[in-house]
Amino acid sequence: MCYFEIRKTVLANEKPVPEVIASMDVVEDDYVEDESKDDKQSSDDEMDEEGGPLFDTQEDLDGKIPDYVPAFFLDAYRRGKMPATFMDLFTFKIFIVQPQVSIFSKHNTARL
Amino acid sequence: MNVKLVSRRFRSPLRELLFQDDVQPRTGLPSLQSLDSLTVQQRKDLIFSATGLQMDLSALPEEWHLLFLAITYWATRPDFPITDRMVHAVVLGLVLQAIVYPVKKGNEKAVHALVQSSNGTVKQKLANIKSSECRFVYGEVYAQNSFTKSTNKKGGYDLGVVHSLAQLQSVILALHQLNQLFLMPFAATPMHKIYSGEITRAYKFIL
């Protein structure tokens, strides 16, 4: 804070979070519902090829670490010694494929 | 565990099950919690079992073990359209990047480190490399086909070759991630020093 010369008085007069940000969850649900009515090209970011959402429920995004993950893994992950691939598998149950130049009609490079 | 594979197909995100219905988990494997109590050889055997291969890599330098395991897996898969020329191009690129280019620049310590960790015939051949030979090979092969040379538009990218090299890179990435999970039983491979997709692609057409 001192680097940007922001004084404490500014932080003390900080305004509360506006209602727009607090109600983002509701806005997001409406956005998903409206997205299904839009054209396919404009709705490809959060939808898969079948038109459904990328994650089934909100719980999929919680990212809770299961109890069966061993301590040595968590310790190594926090030190940057473990790839994020396994943490994605443990928490979100997803495997994210690295983008590559590929011929989509041929064998998928991710299917080893 | 229904794990979803997240990728892209053409312009749209793709989500499908990573494990198909007919794929069953392997039995008889050690648990995740017991990985740190296994020996180095046991963890190496786990990686070998994941690839379905059993190779004696002791003759090669330690930092090449994982790469050659990946190349062997990639070349022996029946559903990958890999040719002998493709494999030769990858190995030639490795030799040129890891040996010829450093020795030509005067960095003979790089080869000395490889000699220390190798055995048998490979060790003997690495120890007898001469800088004059490396300069000759560099002039004849490396300089003529490096990415700095302007490419003819007619000889543009062959997507089939690029796709095959992308498969090799996926195998290398997966093996490196497994190696990290199993607490590095194999030495880390310095991919930036020994692999260049652009050079490998170019050598595939000259072999």
Side-chain angles (χ1 to χ4, degrees), chain B residues 136-194:
Chain B
F136 174 77
V137 172
Y138 179 86
E140 291 294 319
V141 181
Y142 191 96
Q144 301 297 323
N145 296 282
S146 69
F147 69 94
T148 55
K149 184 183 176 186
S150 59
T151 55
N152 184 4
K153 287 186 178 179
K154 290 184 180 178
Y157 285 102
D158 180 351
L159 276 182
V161 175
V162 175
H163 184 85
S164 298
L165 292 179
Q167 289 174 332
L168 172 62
Q169 291 178 28
S170 293
V171 175
I172 291 171
L173 176 64
L175 283 179
H176 274 81
Q177 289 174 342
L178 280 177
N179 193 40
Q180 285 180 282
L181 178 65
F182 297 152
L183 303 177
M184 306 296 289
F186 289 101
T189 304
M191 295 302 297
H192 62 290
K193 292 182 182 178
I194 62 177

Side-chain angles (χ1 to χ4, degrees), chain B:
Chain B
M1 183 170 70
N2 291 328
V3 178
K4 299 182 183 69
L5 184 146
V6 179
S7 179
R8 293 192 79 88
R9 196 168 188 86
F10 301 102
R11 295 182 182 180
S12 301
L14 174 68
R15 181 191 60 152
E16 58 187 14
L17 288 178
L18 178 62
F19 302 109
Q20 305 297 331
D21 292 337
D22 57 344
V23 176
Q24 297 297 327
R26 293 189 182 182
T27 57
L29 296 174
S31 65
L32 191 61
Q33 290 77 11
S34 64
L35 277 179
D36 56 343
S37 61
L38 299 177
T39 63
V40 172
Q41 189 57 45
Q42 286 176 323
R43 286 182 266 134
K44 283 186 178 180
D45 290 339
L46 277 177
I47 294 181
F48 282 127
S49 69
T51 58
L53 300 170
Q54 195 64 33
M55 301 170 60
D56 181 14
L57 300 167
S58 58
L60 297 170
E62 284 183 357
E63 60 183 32
W64 291 4
H65 287 183
L66 214 55
L67 175 63
F68 272 83
L69 181 60
I71 291 172
T72 307
Y73 178 84
W74 168 69
T76 54
R77 291 283 295 181
D79 44 357
F80 287 7
I82 308 302
T83 61
D84 290 345
R85 286 173 62 183
M86 191 83 69
V87 178
H88 291 159
V90 172
V91 177
L92 178 60
L94 161 68
V95 171
L96 288 164
Q97 290 278 96
I99 299 172
V100 173
Y101 187 62
V103 173
K104 183 260 178 187
K105 292 198 75 175
N107 182 16
E108 297 189 359
K109 289 183 181 178
V111 179
H112 183 70
L114 296 177
V115 172
Q116 293 296 317
S117 62
S118 57
N119 295 292
T121 311
V122 175
K123 180 170 187 167
Q124 188 180 3
K125 291 189 180 298
L126 285 174
N128 293 332
I129 288 174
K130 298 176 184 176
S131 58
S132 57
E133 294 173 341
C134 291
R135 282 195 295 270
F136 174 77
V137 172
Y138 179 86
E140 291 294 319
V141 181
Y142 191 96
Q144 301 297 323
N145 296 282
S146 69
F147 69 94
T148 55
K149 184 183 176 186
S150 59
T151 55
N152 184 4
K153 287 186 178 179
K154 290 184 180 178
Y157 285 102
D158 180 351
L159 276 182
V161 175
V162 175
H163 184 85
S164 298
L165 292 179
Q167 289 174 332
L168 172 62
Q169 291 178 28
S170 293
V171 175
I172 291 171
L173 176 64
L175 283 179
H176 274 81
Q177 289 174 342
L178 280 177
N179 193 40
Q180 285 180 282
L181 178 65
F182 297 152
L183 303 177
M184 306 296 289
F186 289 101
T189 304
M191 295 302 297
H192 62 290
K193 292 182 182 178
I194 62 177
Y195 179 78
S196 169
E198 179 61 32
I199 292 176
T200 305
R201 186 200 66 82
Y203 291 151
K204 192 264 179 183
F205 292 102
I206 68 168
L207 287 174

Side-chain angles (χ1 to χ4, degrees), chain A residues 44 47-49 54 56 68 81-82 85-86 89 93-95 97 100 102-104 107 111-112, chain B residues 3-4 6 8-11 13 15-18 20 33 73 77 79 163 166 170 173 177 180:
Chain A
D44 61 352
M47 309 297 242
D48 60 6
E49 281 191 335
L54 205 58
D56 290 327
Y68 58 78
K81 301 292 185 183
M82 287 286 180
T85 302
F86 298 110
L89 287 171
K93 308 291 189 294
I94 59 173
F95 178 80
V97 178
Q100 287 180 313
S102 179
I103 301 176
F104 295 114
H107 191 276
R111 295 279 183 190
L112 306 174
Chain B
V3 178
K4 299 182 183 69
V6 179
R8 293 192 79 88
R9 196 168 188 86
F10 301 102
R11 295 182 182 180
R15 181 191 60 152
E16 58 187 14
L17 288 178
L18 178 62
Q20 305 297 331
Q33 290 77 11
Y73 178 84
R77 291 283 295 181
D79 44 357
H163 184 85
S170 293
L173 176 64
Q177 289 174 342
Q180 285 180 282

